[in-house]
Amino acid sequence: MKLHKSAFPGWRMLVRHVLFAVLGGLVVMPAHADAGRERLSLDRGWLFHLGDVPFHVPATQDETYYATKAGMASGAAAVKFDDTAWRKLDLPHDWQVEQPFDPKANMAQGFRPRGIGWYRRYIALPESDRGRHVELEFGAIATHATVWVNGNLVNHNWSGYNEVRIDITPYLHYGDKHANVVAVRVDADAMEGWWYEGAGMYRHTWLVKTDAVHVVPDGVRVTPRKTDGGTWEIPATVTLDNDGKQDAHVEVEMVVTGPDGKQVARRRASVDVPVLTQVTAALPMTIRDPMLWSLDRTTLYRVTTTVRRDGKVVDRLALDTGFRTLRFDAAKGFFLNGKHVKLQGVCLHQDHAGVGVAVPTAIWAFRLRRLKELGVNAIRFSHNAIASEVLDMADRMGFLVMAENRNFNPSPDYMKQFEWMLKRDRHHPSIILWSVFNEEPVQATEAGYEMARRMVAVAKALDGTRPTTAAMSNGLLTPLNVSHAVDVVGANYQIPEYDKFHAARPDKPFTSSEDTSAFMTRGEFATDKARHIETSYDTEAPAWGNTHRDAWQAIGTRDFVAGGFVWTGFDYHGESWPYASWPSVSSFFGIMDLNGFPKTAYYMHQVQWIKDRPLIYIAPHWNWAGKEGQEIVVRVMSNAERVKLLLNGQEIGEQKVDHYRMNDFKVAYAAGALEAIAYTGGKEVARARVETTGPAVALELVPDRAALDGDGRDAMPITVRALDAQGRAVPLAQDEVRFTIAGAGQSIGNGNGDPNSHEDEKGRTRKLFNGLAQLLVQSNWNSSGSIEVDASAPGLRTAHLTIPVRAVAPVAYVPAAAPPVDDKP
């Protein structure tokens, strides 16, 4: 058979073979122990090519014959393909955020091209792995992906949001001479959403090795529930598989330990697992008086599942879960553990400034901390399943989650995606609702009802402890619609329908699933449509939406509305309403901008949502040179009873606090200091101040945290701002800043929150936007010492920052192996 020339390596491949043999040997993959399960990172050592690689088109009878056989993939999927010129990179990776902006590209995707890309990885497995079960685990791939192993097509995946788990055991080679080749073709031109989705292998990737008898992916079901008699139980099940060559008799043990590490329950079962057969074992357990999980006390219990064969541990894995009750009441809203909780929620997409959708876990932690500080207690991950590590953080930090399905379709391919989300996530106590869709055109029809009914039935069968919902944008009062199929009605932007629906169906629980969609440009206080700028006074909203104040007032004053989810917590790339046109490349909806810098909406919601400490804020800034004597609207935001405003020590006025509308004062501008004082019970409880600053003279770098772990994954945002001679932040600074990074880390991106900026998010420079920018840094793998960061701008004093980097045990990973070498002459 005559193979396509791309199937043969050149001399560069031989050179690289030697280099991999030398360098790859410096890192040793841990030998597997009797405990059975290894989950090894595959994030390092990938090769990437942007653009498609054509497959060889067979021309002869022999070529056609062999091209249809197992292991005979051609082009970049072939085992022996010359990829020596490909870029080497580590995952997670989003290639779309690396592309230049293009006014001809898709607006919804942020005016950035997407296209097709290829990834390849070489994996060597020792002879001792022969007979084990081996899987590839991809956290998510945007968008459609095809995976080959050793020239065998092993998986097609039709969503950019679901995890991909592939049993690759039948295709593997063992020993140093035969590296295994993984090839992934990613088609990011396929779009599932109308927002920025990114492109590539943007979540973590793993190689999972287990015994031939093992727990299947997401095969442990541990969802606690309170019985009618008041006791707590975990009707646990474990699904096992056996891809060995002999039937197996195993013992399965499940142990529940409390937050103090003490055992609270234990159950065992003996199971026969025939060859190439899945068997489910039931291990129901009763838990006496568990500590409850709540927003303020996020108590988690660990459930450890162990599989033994002939007394030897062959598989073991652990999940955290929590005990809590939840109830949606049609008249009074949501109750957690019997206590009323108003859902103070936001919707979130999964991208961040500088990194697109390849968001390090540590940056996700930063984002969730910002939401906690805001007073958020609920998150709707819109409109798709989020990474499992983010749900782990929601459990630990105390958020209530609406988990949302991406594709509304009960056909087999799409139902599998929904089933995967349910199985993977049903152990998380943070999840309180399963949402089957967002704003589907068929939502008010019989077809929509029938589709939803089938998906709800699957949710009940796989979980049954949580209610279902759907985010409906119309049709709530039609004779037959999706609201008749779900447990809790979710309404998007339907304030005029709130009371009508409740009057028509008073026994149906109801929540706002999406609201607001107000526009703001951080730091701007006058709308200028020609320049694509939106005021921060909360007066701008689309025809379908409402201002922040109007939306929350409609929710907060109605007991039967369980709560709301503001669109959105953060700005996001793409979907640049209200303009939906060049030059705007990101949204204006966020309570915070793309970096997590607060807009005025942040402070308005914070004083509405936080009740346990007094708060007061002032907007806008007080740098209005040239407007002396002109009236400036000053907004004072507080959760106290009364507020007083002073300019340069002179009282402007005092008002009773309006907790929904906020308090506005008209002030004739004069340079100096504005001061607001909050009073409760006649006593001062809080004070805020803004001052007119001088010109910028220096830069400042403010790290989010004190240090980083040297594991190559830990990351943090650094706030960049300009200061005047008195050390005050200058709110109007627009200086271009140049970054220099050295030492035990690197820059992974930057941003400034300007929705009209076309700067390179991976570049070495970034302009301040209304006084602020953000630099993201990440530690190098297996590093220690420090990261040295310098920020400079013409005419300003340079800022220097030293970030300590701690030596930590590296994440166990699979080193990149040498590529196969053609041994033919």
Side-chain angles (χ1 to χ4, degrees):
M1 176 183 177
K2 183 180 178 181
L3 293 177
H4 187 243
K5 63 181 181 181
S6 66
F8 292 99
W11 65 270
R12 290 179 298 176
M13 186 75 88
L14 296 175
V15 173
R16 197 169 61 145
H17 178 83
V18 174
L19 291 174
F20 270 98
V22 174
L23 299 177
L26 297 178
V27 181
V28 179
M29 199 163 46
H32 69 272
D34 288 342
R37 179 172 294 257
E38 291 179 86
R39 189 168 182 256
L40 306 168
S41 173
L42 271 180
D43 284 352
R44 293 171 53 79
W46 286 84
L47 300 168
F48 172 69
H49 172 76
L50 180 58
D52 207 0
V53 178
F55 292 93
H56 175 58
V57 179
T60 68
Q61 173 67 37
D62 284 349
E63 285 187 353
T64 305
Y65 176 82
Y66 284 106
T68 64
K69 301 303 181 181
M72 299 302 291
S74 68
V79 172
K80 295 175 181 176
F81 173 81
D82 187 354
D83 54 18
T84 51
W86 286 20
R87 171 186 171 192
K88 187 174 181 179
L89 54 76
D90 297 336
L91 305 179
H93 175 233
D94 174 4
W95 82 67
Q96 188 179 5
V97 76
E98 301 171 350
Q99 305 308 304
F101 294 101
D102 181 353
K104 296 180 180 179
N106 186 288
M107 177 278 294
Q109 296 291 330
F111 290 106
R112 275 194 168 115
R114 305 188 74 205
I116 293 171
W118 282 84
Y119 297 84
R120 283 170 62 90
R121 179 67 151 81
Y122 298 98
I123 302 169
L125 296 174
E127 286 288 348
S128 57
D129 278 341
R130 193 181 297 275
R132 302 182 79 192
H133 175 83
V134 183
E135 294 175 1
L136 287 175
E137 179 184 326
F138 301 101
I141 305 172
T143 299
H144 291 175
T146 309
V147 183
W148 291 263
V149 173
N150 292 333
N152 297 280
L153 198 161
V154 297
N155 184 266
H156 286 298
N157 188 62
W158 307 117
S159 176
Y161 299 99
N162 63 289
E163 187 177 83
V164 182
R165 296 284 289 269
I166 308 169
D167 175 8
I168 62 172
T169 312
Y171 316 102
L172 296 175
H173 307 309
Y174 303 91
D176 296 336
K177 295 182 180 180
H178 300 287
N180 298 278
V181 183
V182 178
V184 184
R185 181 183 184 271
V186 182
D187 178 2
D189 281 333
M191 289 183 285
E192 290 180 272
W194 51 97
W195 57 88
Y196 179 90
E197 296 187 278
M201 298 169 63
Y202 69 94
R203 291 184 187 165
H204 293 300
T205 303
W206 306 87
L207 186 73
V208 180
K209 298 193 267 187
T210 67
D211 189 81
V213 181
H214 56 275
V215 179
V216 304
D218 305 315
V220 176
R221 181 176 183 175
V222 286
T223 310
R225 64 193 71 198
K226 193 172 186 179
T227 68
D228 292 339
T231 61
W232 285 91
E233 65 178 16
I234 303 179
T237 61
V238 180
T239 302
L240 304 170
D241 193 14
N242 176 9
D243 57 13
K245 297 179 178 60
Q246 297 179 344
D247 295 347
H249 180 77
V250 299
E251 181 185 74
V252 183
E253 179 185 63
M254 190 172 284
V255 175
V256 182
T257 54
D260 57 1
K262 295 181 179 179
Q263 178 178 306
V264 298
R266 181 179 183 182
R267 188 70 182 262
R268 293 180 179 178
S270 294
V271 185
D272 290 319
V273 191
V275 169
L276 299 178
T277 301
Q278 289 192 1
V279 175
T280 298
L283 295 94
M285 291 176 288
T286 299
I287 312 295
R288 300 184 184 279
D289 299 320
M291 297 172 60
L292 300 185
W293 182 93
S294 67
L295 294 171
D296 300 322
R297 191 174 184 180
T298 56
T299 304
L300 295 174
Y301 284 72
R302 173 145 290 197
V303 183
T304 302
T305 303
T306 303
V307 182
R308 293 181 176 87
R309 186 177 184 181
D310 298 328
K312 181 185 294 186
V313 174
V314 295
D315 201 2
R316 176 177 288 144
L317 57 109
L319 293 173
D320 289 334
T321 193
F323 297 83
R324 84 285 182 272
T325 63
L326 57 92
R327 176 171 60 91
F328 282 86
D329 184 89
K332 295 296 183 181
F334 176 72
F335 291 80
L336 181 68
N337 299 325
K339 180 181 178 181
H340 180 261
V341 176
K342 197 77 167 182
L343 300 179
Q344 299 169 176
V346 296
C347 301
L348 287 187
H349 280 316
Q350 58 177 354
D351 62 306
H352 190 88
V355 292
V357 295
V359 182
T361 303
I363 301 301
W364 264 112
F366 160 77
R367 289 163 65 87
L368 296 187
R369 287 199 307 273
R370 296 293 289 131
L371 293 176
K372 266 293 183 184
E373 294 161 4
L374 169 59
V376 168
N377 63 18
I379 302 172
R380 175 181 175 228
F381 289 111
S382 315
H383 310 284
N384 50 267
I386 198 69
S388 59
E389 54 265 28
V390 179
L391 288 176
D392 289 339
M393 284 188 280
D395 290 343
R396 295 193 300 268
M397 297 175 69
F399 289 100
L400 304 169
V401 171
M402 179 190 294
E404 190 155 87
N405 172 58
R406 171 74 294 267
N407 292 299
F408 179 52
N409 190 334
S411 66
D413 279 345
Y414 292 105
M415 191 69 92
K416 283 173 60 178
Q417 296 173 17
F418 186 47
E419 291 172 352
W420 160 79
M421 181 180 76
L422 295 163
K423 290 178 181 178
R424 185 195 68 164
D425 297 340
R426 58 192 172 189
H427 68 93
H428 288 287
S430 56
I431 294 177
I432 61 168
L433 282 167
W434 300 118
S435 175
V436 298
F437 71 60
N438 174 73
E439 297 179 357
E440 289 292 333
V442 296
Q443 60 196 347
T445 68
E446 181 181 5
Y449 165 76
E450 290 293 344
M451 292 166 68
R453 190 167 66 92
R454 284 156 174 78
M455 299 188 79
V456 167
V458 168
K460 299 297 185 186
L462 292 178
D463 178 22
T465 68
R466 298 169 178 88
T468 57
T469 190
M472 298 182 64
S473 53
N474 62 57
L476 290 177
L477 294 173
T478 56
L480 184 62
N481 61 70
V482 166
S483 72
H484 295 92
V486 297
D487 301 304
V488 178
V489 175
N492 288 13
Y493 310 108
Q494 297 188 67
I495 288 176
E497 304 299 311
Y498 286 3
D499 295 331
K500 295 177 186 177
F501 181 86
H502 185 58
R505 298 175 66 185
D507 296 329
K508 191 73 171 182
F510 183 93
T511 188
S512 168
S513 42
E514 183 176 322
D515 50 74
T516 312
S517 274
F519 305 129
M520 285 189 187
T521 304
R522 178 183 56 77
E524 299 287 348
F525 292 89
T527 294
D528 186 338
K529 297 294 185 182
R531 296 173 55 218
H532 287 208
I533 290 173
E534 297 290 302
T535 179
S536 294
Y537 280 118
D538 193 35
T539 57
E540 306 292 334
W544 71 82
N546 300 92
T547 65
H548 290 274
R549 293 171 296 164
D550 286 345
W552 184 250
Q553 185 168 9
I555 294 164
T557 55
R558 289 170 169 83
D559 289 344
F560 69 86
V561 181
F565 293 85
V566 175
W567 190 265
T568 51
F570 292 77
D571 279 339
Y572 52 95
H573 297 82
E575 202 180 16
S576 53
W577 294 103
Y579 303 101
S581 64
W582 187 264
S584 298
V585 295
S586 65
S587 76
F588 293 73
F589 296 120
I591 294 173
M592 292 174 275
D593 70 14
L594 264 170
N595 313 276
F597 295 139
K599 303 181 188 180
T600 304
Y602 184 95
Y603 304 112
M604 291 193 297
H605 283 296
Q606 192 180 54
V607 300
Q608 290 171 334
W609 291 347
I610 293 179
K611 305 294 192 296
D612 61 352
R613 64 183 188 276
L615 298 169
I616 189 167
Y617 298 103
I618 303 173
H621 58 78
W622 206 238
N623 281 31
W624 298 98
K627 292 192 174 184
E628 286 76 8
Q630 297 182 34
E631 279 192 345
I632 304 291
V633 175
V634 175
R635 176 158 297 163
V636 179
M637 298 155 280
S638 179
N639 59 2
E641 294 175 355
R642 300 189 66 81
V643 290
K644 180 187 293 184
L645 183 67
L646 300 92
L647 174 60
N648 296 325
Q650 299 299 310
E651 183 174 332
I652 300 298
E654 183 175 337
Q655 297 180 18
K656 180 182 178 182
V657 168
D658 188 329
H659 294 105
Y660 288 113
R661 311 308 303 173
M662 307 295 118
N663 294 82
D664 289 348
F665 298 81
K666 292 182 178 180
V667 182
Y669 177 67
L674 274 175
E675 200 162 25
I677 306 172
Y679 299 91
T680 295
K683 296 181 180 179
E684 179 182 332
V685 292
R687 187 178 288 242
R689 180 184 178 95
V690 295
E691 298 181 62
T692 308
T693 71
V697 300
L699 291 173
E700 183 182 38
L701 295 171
V702 183
D704 176 58
R705 292 153 53 211
L708 289 176
D709 290 338
D711 57 5
R713 292 187 169 190
D714 200 6
M716 75 162 72
I718 299 170
T719 297
V720 188
R721 60 183 184 176
L723 306 179
D724 71 1
Q726 296 184 46
R728 299 172 299 190
V730 180
L732 300 180
Q734 310 288 334
D735 304 83
E736 183 174 78
V737 180
R738 177 169 292 275
F739 303 110
T740 303
I741 298 96
Q746 60 184 319
S747 166
I748 56 172
N750 58 67
N752 63 10
D754 180 0
N756 303 311
S757 173
H758 302 149
E759 296 172 86
D760 181 2
E761 291 187 70
K762 299 293 186 181
R764 296 183 61 185
T765 63
R766 171 64 68 167
K767 290 182 180 178
L768 299 178
F769 177 63
N770 290 332
L772 297 172
Q774 184 179 82
L775 177 69
L776 302 176
V777 296
Q778 188 170 50
S779 65
N780 292 333
W781 181 78
N782 201 22
S783 63
S784 62
S786 65
I787 302 173
E788 305 297 329
V789 182
D790 287 287
S792 60
L796 303 184
R797 189 167 63 249
T798 296
H800 178 80
L801 176 66
T802 296
I803 303 172
V805 177
R806 300 171 290 231
V808 296
V811 175
Y813 86 106
V814 182
V821 174
D822 184 16
D823 56 4
K824 295 180 180 179

